[in-house]
Amino acid sequence: MSHAAASVPSPSPLRPSFRSRLLDWRVRFGVLALIWGFSFLFIKVGTEGFAPFQVTFGRLLFGTAVLVAALLVKRDRLPRGARTWGHLAVAAFLLNALPFSLFAYAELTIPSTLAGICNATTPLWGMVLSLVALSEDRPTRVRAAGLGIGFVGVLTVLGAWQGFSGLDVTGTALALLASFSYAVGWIYVRRTLSGTGASHLSLATGQVGLATLQLALVTPLFTTLPQSVELLPLLSVIALGALGTGYAMLLQYGVVAEVGPTTASMVTYFIPVIATAAGVAFLGEHLAWNTPVGAAVVLLGAALTQTRASSRTPAPALRETGGTAPAPHGDRTPART
């Protein structure tokens, strides 16, 4: 929701001998889609018992714990070099601390279904930005058409023809800004962290760990401890972090290593579907006709923006999402959801 972006060529954190003992990649692909799709429900339930910054801090803390455990098990090590850590600090803010917090604040006033669909706009923002920031990303007619179709889908979801009646503008804007932050972060990572020589697991652990430190500094300034801790919101935050941020990233890296980033990035197109189904089924959220129709149009546009004029396949990227979307550079999978 994890979430998400630059090509960082490095060895896979999963060795082939280890992968061969895991479940079939299709099963792991499905589990990954479910985890990231349910992340928006976990955020919604978490904010019923904790302040948004507290939800984000807990999410990052439990996610870091899972990644650190994986790092120790694999006997990998954290990245080296002050320059690398400086870039990771920026990536942590753009891909984790900021968008996670924005989604948590957004879901105070908008349904989890709408937040999940807003998350799917990330590749649309990414394509616009990549055309400016990345010289190798050239516009094509198909990609330009996809961008236009995608934003028509956004307007459909938001009910533009009826003057956005009933829409919480602030919450929706925060969710869209979170998706925009993912796109900016992916491009930043791609431009700054390529060729570090560190593994994906190492970079992801450093990135999420730094985001945890950033929230540890911010959270006490804007929140106070809750007078009581309710079980369901606490379990939601734990699941959001341990599953949606930590374990999901490990699953994703395994799928990328086995079937490639192009196939792995397709998980993004299932996330808003699952987020919508979870919100309606478990939270009783209302679903007007324009929400699923607009979401389908958004996903169609997003898919078209990921087409390539050449067959060159970029390397996978750091990603974690609570949800997430394909990287703005097409078949790259980021560290974000």
Side-chain angles (χ1 to χ4, degrees):
M1 176 299 234
S2 44
H3 277 184
S7 32
V8 183
S10 57
S12 166
L14 300 176
R15 298 188 182 108
S17 60
F18 180 69
R19 291 200 310 269
S20 64
R21 298 195 298 270
L22 295 176
L23 294 172
D24 181 85
W25 73 267
R26 296 171 186 83
V27 176
R28 286 176 280 133
F29 181 96
V31 172
L32 183 60
L34 283 171
I35 290 174
W36 275 340
F38 269 83
S39 291
F40 296 95
L41 179 148
F42 292 146
I43 294 172
K44 190 72 171 180
V45 176
T47 56
E48 293 177 357
F50 301 97
F53 275 137
Q54 293 170 344
V55 172
T56 303
F57 174 67
R59 173 182 189 174
L60 290 167
L61 181 65
F62 289 111
T64 299
V66 171
L67 292 172
V68 168
L71 198 73
L72 294 174
V73 168
K74 300 204 63 63
R75 297 181 180 179
D76 202 348
R77 63 186 182 188
L78 291 171
R80 295 183 175 181
R83 185 179 182 85
T84 297
W85 280 99
H87 290 315
L88 282 174
V90 177
F93 176 74
L94 292 173
L95 291 173
N96 302 112
L98 178 60
F100 288 4
S101 300
L102 289 173
F103 271 123
Y105 271 101
E107 290 199 41
L108 290 176
T109 56
I110 67 172
S112 65
T113 53
L114 179 56
I117 293 170
C118 288
N119 180 76
T121 65
T122 301
L124 304 178
W125 299 118
M127 197 200 91
V128 173
L129 292 171
S130 65
L131 294 178
V132 176
L134 301 172
S135 59
E136 65 269 32
D137 278 341
R138 302 298 183 186
T140 64
R141 292 180 179 177
V142 173
R143 296 180 71 198
L147 184 63
I149 291 172
F151 281 112
V152 167
V154 172
L155 293 176
T156 302
V157 170
L158 302 182
W161 70 92
Q162 55 187 7
F164 305 105
S165 176
L167 179 72
D168 184 88
V169 176
T170 301
T172 304
L174 291 176
L176 291 173
L177 183 59
S179 300
F180 181 78
S181 180
Y182 283 139
V184 175
W186 293 341
I187 292 177
Y188 177 84
V189 173
R190 182 177 176 186
R191 293 176 67 97
T192 60
L193 286 172
S194 295
T196 62
S199 70
H200 292 312
L201 177 58
S202 173
L203 291 169
T205 304
Q207 176 184 311
V208 178
L210 286 172
T212 305
L213 291 177
Q214 292 169 359
L215 261 294
L217 295 174
V218 171
T219 301
L221 300 177
F222 295 95
T223 66
T224 57
L225 291 176
Q227 294 182 348
S228 62
V229 176
E230 299 180 18
L231 181 60
L232 194 56
L234 177 61
L235 292 177
S236 293
V237 172
I238 293 173
L240 184 63
L243 294 178
T245 300
Y247 181 60
M249 293 179 74
L250 299 178
L251 275 179
Q252 185 196 35
Y253 293 148
V255 174
V256 169
E258 187 167 342
V259 299
T262 302
T263 301
S265 69
M266 295 300 292
V267 70
T268 297
Y269 300 108
F270 294 89
I271 292 173
V273 177
I274 295 172
T276 299
V280 172
F282 296 100
L283 298 178
E285 295 178 347
H286 175 68
L287 190 65
W289 69 267
N290 58 299
T291 301
V293 170
V297 176
V298 168
L299 293 177
L300 173 61
L304 291 176
T305 64
Q306 307 311 301
T307 58
R308 279 285 178 270
S310 66
S311 58
R312 178 176 59 84
T313 301
L318 291 173
R319 153 137 177 162
E320 188 272 312
T321 172
T324 224
H329 338 298
D331 25 334
R332 295 177 250 341
T333 45
R336 160 177 29 163
T337 227

